[in-house]
């Protein structure tokens, strides 16, 4: 039985297979419409979500399966003090696979140690968000035709942004990747990512504060919001929240084939006027998230079509 805790749980070859499956699902959805008939997905969300929960549910429904779950800790027995390990033992009796989001780093890992069904980490604290990474990789592959030889700008909250950490882990395995880390001093990428991942693997990167300085050299701009829920005080959040705003004027200095990604939700960091720019890829990214989660569910359940 396989779980997905980190993007590194899949080798580069397995990732290629998974992304190819997602592309085939997009091209031939009818082939997969009953692939999970009789199977149930449980979504156990202890933290708010729109895309991750609903796209897992849409993925299972598109595959002909069924869904169950809770969308807040308040509506589960966690409020009565039930542990994650007891919850997953219980859910293993009801469902065939589950996706869990939890504010505590490592909670989905605890779940998979006590689970009889595959567990998907749907985001744990500021740690990892592997299904967002699968979505990001599929988006980059579909829009740029490759995952190697690219300069990627990561902009915003690089300290708390778990999507950024997961994406770096995944991309450093491809050749010719360079990063431009764009953040205010207070929200720099943590040492455990810079030293232990980028430096250790000799991946070229530079850190800049001004988005304008970075834009001309980027193939991908990955915008992120400031993670309000991870700040200890409101004052710091308010000071940081509008540090970056990508607007039409700034987009003029970006290459014509640069793509703008964002895991969403957006707050103010991308002006709505940018949505009309053909380089704005963040809503395509949402759609790709459904195909890649369909491919993930099939892979973890070991279901083969054809
Ligand atoms: N990208 C993402 O994780 O969005 P949600 O928080 O809405 O699931």
């Amino acid at each position: 039985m396989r779980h997905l805790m980190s993007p590194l749980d899949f080798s580069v070859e397995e990732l290629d297979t998974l992304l190819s499956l997602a592309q085939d699902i997009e091209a031939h959805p009818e082939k997969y419409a009953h692939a999970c008939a009789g199977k149930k997905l449980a979504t156990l969300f202890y933290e708010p979500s729109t895309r991750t929960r609903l796209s897992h549910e849409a993925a299972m429904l598109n595959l002909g399966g069924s869904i169950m779950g809770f969308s807040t800790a308040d509506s589960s027995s966690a409020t009565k003090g039930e542990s994650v390990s007891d919850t997953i033992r219980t859910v293993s009796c009801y469902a065939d696979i589950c996706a869990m989001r939890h504010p505590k780093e490592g909670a989905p890992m605890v779940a998979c140690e006590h689970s009889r069904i595959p567990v998907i980490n749907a985001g744990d604290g500021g740690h990892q968000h592997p299904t967002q990474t699968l979505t990001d990789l599929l988006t980059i592959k579909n829009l740029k035709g490759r995952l190697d030889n690219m300069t990627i700008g990561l902009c915003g909250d690089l300290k708390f942004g778990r999507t950024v950490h997961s994406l770096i882990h995944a991309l450093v395995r491809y050749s010719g990747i360079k990063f431009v880390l764009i953040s205010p001093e207070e929200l720099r990428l943590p040492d455990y990512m810079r030293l232990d991942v980028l430096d250790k693997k000799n991946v070229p990167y530079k850190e800049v504060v001004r988005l304008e300085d970075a834009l001309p050299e980027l193939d991908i701009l990955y915008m992120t919001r400031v993670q309000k829920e991870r700040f200890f005080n409101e004052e710091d959040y308010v000071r940081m929240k509008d540090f970056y705003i990508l607007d039409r004027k700034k987009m003029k200095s970006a290459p014509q084939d640069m793509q703008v990604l964002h895991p969403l939700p957006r707050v103010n960091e991308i002006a709505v006027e940018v949505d009309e720019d053909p380089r704005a890829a963040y809503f395509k990214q949402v759609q790709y998230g459904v195909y890649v989660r369909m491919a993930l569910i099939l892979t973890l359940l070991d279901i083969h079509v054809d």
Side-chain angles (χ1 to χ4, degrees):
M1 185 173 62
R2 285 192 82 162
H3 307 282
L4 179 69
M5 292 295 113
S6 149
L8 300 185
D9 293 352
F10 287 118
S11 67
V12 169
E13 293 72 28
E14 286 173 326
L15 268 180
D16 275 356
T17 304
L18 187 94
L19 298 184
S20 298
L21 177 58
Q23 288 172 326
D24 195 59
I25 289 169
E26 180 183 6
H28 307 287
E30 68 292 344
K31 254 171 64 180
Y32 298 90
H34 306 289
C36 283
K39 301 287 184 193
K40 296 187 237 17
L41 165 79
T43 48
L44 314 179
F45 276 58
Y46 296 83
E47 210 184 40
S49 165
T50 297
R51 275 145 296 274
T52 312
R53 184 172 66 84
L54 295 181
S55 63
H56 275 98
E57 294 183 355
M60 189 48 134
L61 294 172
N62 289 348
L63 293 166
S66 317
I67 55 171
M68 63 178 76
F70 52 84
S71 57
T72 62
D74 289 354
S75 58
S76 79
S77 285
T79 48
K80 302 173 202 160
E82 185 167 59
S83 65
V84 164
S85 53
D86 282 1
T87 300
I88 195 67
R89 280 196 184 103
T90 303
V91 172
S92 294
C93 302
Y94 306 147
D96 300 283
I97 184 166
C98 88
M100 175 184 285
R101 171 170 286 189
H102 203 287
K104 277 199 188 138
E105 282 90 351
M109 181 61 92
V110 171
C112 77
E113 282 163 3
H114 297 89
S115 181
R116 288 191 288 109
I117 59 175
V119 178
I120 299 168
N121 177 1
D124 59 329
H127 186 218
Q128 297 267 3
H129 193 344
T131 66
Q132 182 63 48
T133 302
L134 299 180
T135 301
D136 301 339
L137 294 179
L138 181 64
T139 306
I140 296 170
K141 191 167 183 186
N142 281 351
L143 299 180
K144 301 297 284 185
R146 65 187 194 280
L147 289 170
D148 54 7
N149 296 309
M150 256 182 290
T151 301
I152 306 206
L154 303 167
C155 177
D157 186 348
L158 309 188
K159 181 177 179 182
F160 296 116
R162 60 191 171 196
T163 61
V164 166
H165 303 168
S166 281
L167 186 58
I168 290 174
H169 274 294
L171 282 172
V172 295
R173 299 193 290 177
Y174 296 88
S175 61
I177 293 292
K178 294 184 212 157
F179 290 106
V180 183
L181 307 174
I182 310 155
S183 76
E185 181 66 28
E186 292 94 326
L187 298 178
R188 282 175 70 200
L189 194 70
D191 283 353
Y192 66 83
M193 291 298 303
R194 265 183 317 112
L195 309 180
D196 300 347
V197 182
L198 297 178
D199 288 347
K200 206 169 179 176
K201 290 193 178 291
N202 288 320
V203 177
Y205 69 91
K206 65 181 173 185
E207 295 184 279
V208 301
V209 174
R210 277 168 47 87
L211 174 58
E212 295 86 332
D213 295 343
L215 278 172
E217 63 177 305
L218 301 182
D219 296 299
I220 298 286
L221 171 62
Y222 192 91
M223 294 294 293
T224 61
R225 80 186 159 91
V226 175
Q227 305 269 308
K228 182 179 184 184
E229 62 277 31
R230 319 247 178 256
F231 273 74
F232 291 113
N233 76 65
E234 177 82 10
E235 212 175 276
D236 284 348
Y237 169 71
V238 169
R239 196 162 45 80
M240 293 286 117
K241 73 182 174 66
D242 291 331
F243 202 93
Y244 297 110
I245 300 179
L246 181 68
D247 56 15
R248 205 180 272 152
K249 186 165 167 235
K250 290 198 186 79
M251 285 296 284
K252 284 192 178 138
S253 60
Q256 278 312 304
D257 61 350
M258 186 190 83
Q259 297 291 324
V260 183
L261 275 64
H262 190 311
L264 304 180
R266 107 177 110 183
V267 187
N268 275 334
E269 59 282 352
I270 302 181
V272 174
E273 65 189 21
V274 177
D275 297 0
E276 291 161 23
D277 190 301
R279 295 167 289 182
Y282 29 93
F283 288 111
K284 288 180 203 156
Q285 200 177 345
V286 172
Q287 183 65 61
Y288 293 139
V290 179
Y291 303 133
V292 90
R293 288 178 176 108
M294 289 170 74
L296 177 65
I297 290 170
L298 291 174
T299 303
L300 295 182
L301 290 178
D302 203 20
I303 292 173
H304 301 270
V305 174
D306 273 339

